């Protein structure tokens, strides 16, 4: 039976360490989160981030806008936050309403306040092999979790299922930077199971229950990033836990695996940006 990659326990450990550091600072790190519209999932995520930030001593501000806000108003607000020296980190909660360009909004955030690591500057740094201002939160959390369990990446074959700009693309580059051999699969990939069977480390970020035990190599590591509700309202991940956990050596659960690590990485990134602004 696979060992569980406990993201919740590691998150708590990271946050505890961060709180001690933040308590020692005279000035506290600050995070501004912009939430547009009334998407229930986004509201839950934002409130969760806000509570955790406050709990460890980060000044957190939620800026709410209605769905029909103009793109110009949103861009003006980001410019105001960019110019505010009291704000260390800016996060715009995605998705945005259709009439607002996600790219324009992300591109307008100053790279040294880009807590998600999504601006073209930070993405470009990452993909050129340089060190970005901060690494994207979910991929960073995944690598922190693998490191915590002493899972070797150097020379291993990592298969990443999903090519989103939030997880798949940056994660594949971060794995390459750690000397893994990386294969990226997506919706047009033929014979997915033949490829997943060659993975020493399989990371799936699709949001559909697509990974079964028979698709895995014996003793591989499974990191499940996908999260959705099935027809019975149960929270599920990309991997079928019952069959996959019998084949894998390590597996992350859903919930309780990657999700908590994303939050931990957001707090780590906020403190990193704060240190670059104020402590250098």
């Amino acid at each position: 039976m696979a060992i569980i990659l406990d993201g919740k326990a590691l998150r708590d450990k990271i946050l505890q360490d961060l709180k001690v550091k933040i308590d020692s600072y005279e000035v506290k790190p600050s995070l501004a989160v912009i939430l547009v519209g009334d998407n229930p999932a986004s509201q839950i995520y934002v409130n969760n981030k806000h509570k955790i930030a406050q709990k460890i001593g980060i000044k957190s501000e939620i800026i709410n806008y209605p769905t029909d806000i103009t793109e110009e108003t949103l861009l003006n607000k980001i410019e105001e936050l960019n110019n505010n020296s009291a704000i260390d980190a800016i996060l715009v909660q995605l998705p945005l309403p259709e009439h607002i360009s996600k790219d324009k909004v992300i591109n307008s955030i100053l790279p040294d306040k880009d807590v998600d690591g999504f601006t073209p500057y930070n993405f470009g740094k990452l993909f050129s092999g340089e060190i970005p201002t901060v690494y994207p939160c979910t991929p960073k959390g995944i690598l922190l979790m693998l490191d915590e369990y002493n899972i070797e990446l150097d020379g291993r074959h990592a298969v990443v299922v999903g090519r989103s700009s939030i997880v798949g693309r940056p994660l594949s580059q971060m794995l390459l930077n750690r000397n893994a051999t990386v294969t990226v699969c997506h919706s047009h990939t033929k014979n997915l199971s033949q490829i997943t069977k060659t993975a020493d480390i399989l990371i799936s970020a699709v949001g559909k229950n697509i990974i079964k035990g028979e698709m895995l190599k014996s003793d591989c590591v499974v990191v499940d990033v996908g999260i959705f509700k099935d027809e019975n309202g149960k929270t599920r991940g990309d991997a079928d836990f019952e069959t996959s956990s019998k084949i894998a050596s390590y597996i992350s659960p859903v919930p309780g695996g990657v999700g908590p690590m994303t939050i931990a990485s957001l707090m780590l990134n906020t403190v990193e940006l704060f240190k670059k602004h104020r402590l250098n």
Side-chain angles (χ1 to χ4, degrees):
M1 197 69 176
I3 294 167
I4 302 298
L5 298 168
D6 190 340
K8 209 179 278 187
L10 180 54
R11 174 202 63 192
D12 291 346
K13 179 178 161 189
I14 289 168
L15 294 179
Q16 194 175 352
D17 291 346
L18 263 185
K19 187 177 187 313
V20 172
K21 279 184 189 169
I22 293 166
D23 285 347
S24 72
Y25 302 147
E26 281 185 32
V27 180
K28 305 304 178 192
S30 61
L31 169 67
V33 181
I34 297 176
L35 175 61
V36 180
D38 52 8
N39 179 308
S42 292
Q43 286 176 331
I44 290 166
Y45 291 145
V46 166
N47 288 333
N48 196 13
K49 290 167 185 172
H50 179 65
K51 281 178 194 165
I52 289 174
Q54 287 191 312
K55 193 175 175 184
I56 64 170
I58 291 172
K59 289 181 185 172
S60 172
E61 176 189 3
I62 301 175
I63 301 156
N64 283 292
Y65 285 115
T67 306
D68 60 359
I69 183 184
T70 65
E71 186 176 89
E72 185 185 9
T73 303
L74 183 54
L75 293 173
N76 286 342
K77 184 62 183 178
I78 291 169
E79 188 178 359
E80 181 193 312
L81 295 170
N82 283 337
N83 295 326
N84 184 345
S85 60
I87 299 292
D88 299 303
I90 301 168
L91 183 150
V92 177
Q93 182 65 41
L94 302 176
L96 290 166
E98 285 183 12
H99 68 281
I100 295 175
S101 163
K102 180 192 85 168
D103 291 339
K104 262 193 199 174
V105 168
I106 298 300
N107 295 358
S108 70
I109 300 170
L110 275 181
D112 64 355
K113 294 194 178 191
D114 170 27
V115 75
D116 268 329
F118 288 163
T119 58
Y121 175 88
N122 283 323
F123 242 49
K125 281 257 191 186
L126 173 59
F127 278 85
S128 65
E130 292 183 56
I131 297 171
T133 314
V134 291
Y135 289 95
C137 296
T138 300
K140 177 174 181 161
I142 290 166
L143 293 193
L144 285 170
M145 191 162 63
L146 293 175
D147 288 344
E148 175 70 10
Y149 285 84
N150 298 311
I151 292 164
E152 185 60 59
L153 296 173
D154 197 314
R156 309 286 295 283
H157 182 205
V159 173
V160 179
V161 184
R163 55 178 170 177
S164 75
S165 57
I166 294 172
V167 182
R169 290 173 195 262
L171 176 61
S172 62
Q173 190 60 42
M174 288 162 73
L175 288 164
L176 276 175
N177 292 348
R178 295 281 298 271
N179 298 320
T181 299
V182 182
T183 302
V184 180
C185 300
H186 45 79
S187 57
H188 291 252
T189 298
K190 303 281 193 291
N191 303 317
L192 178 64
S193 62
Q194 286 181 19
I195 300 169
T196 58
K197 274 183 180 172
T198 67
D200 299 310
I201 299 162
L202 175 69
I203 303 161
S204 187
V206 176
K208 292 179 183 171
N209 191 228
I210 58 166
I211 307 296
K212 314 293 180 193
E214 64 265 21
M215 298 169 67
L216 304 175
K217 175 181 174 180
S218 180
D219 289 337
C220 70
V221 175
V222 176
V223 179
D224 195 342
V225 189
I227 185 163
F228 64 98
K229 299 270 189 195
D230 67 14
E231 61 275 10
N232 301 315
K234 187 183 174 189
T235 301
R236 302 281 300 276
D238 287 1
D240 180 70
F241 190 85
E242 192 179 334
T243 57
S244 299
S245 61
K246 288 172 183 168
I247 306 293
S249 56
Y250 292 86
I251 189 168
S252 70
V254 178
V258 174
M261 290 306 301
T262 300
I263 294 268
S265 298
L266 174 64
M267 302 306 149
L268 284 167
N269 282 357
T270 300
V271 173
E272 278 182 41
L273 295 178
F274 162 78
K275 285 160 77 173
K276 284 171 182 168
H277 284 162
R278 318 227 202 174
L279 303 187
N280 281 350

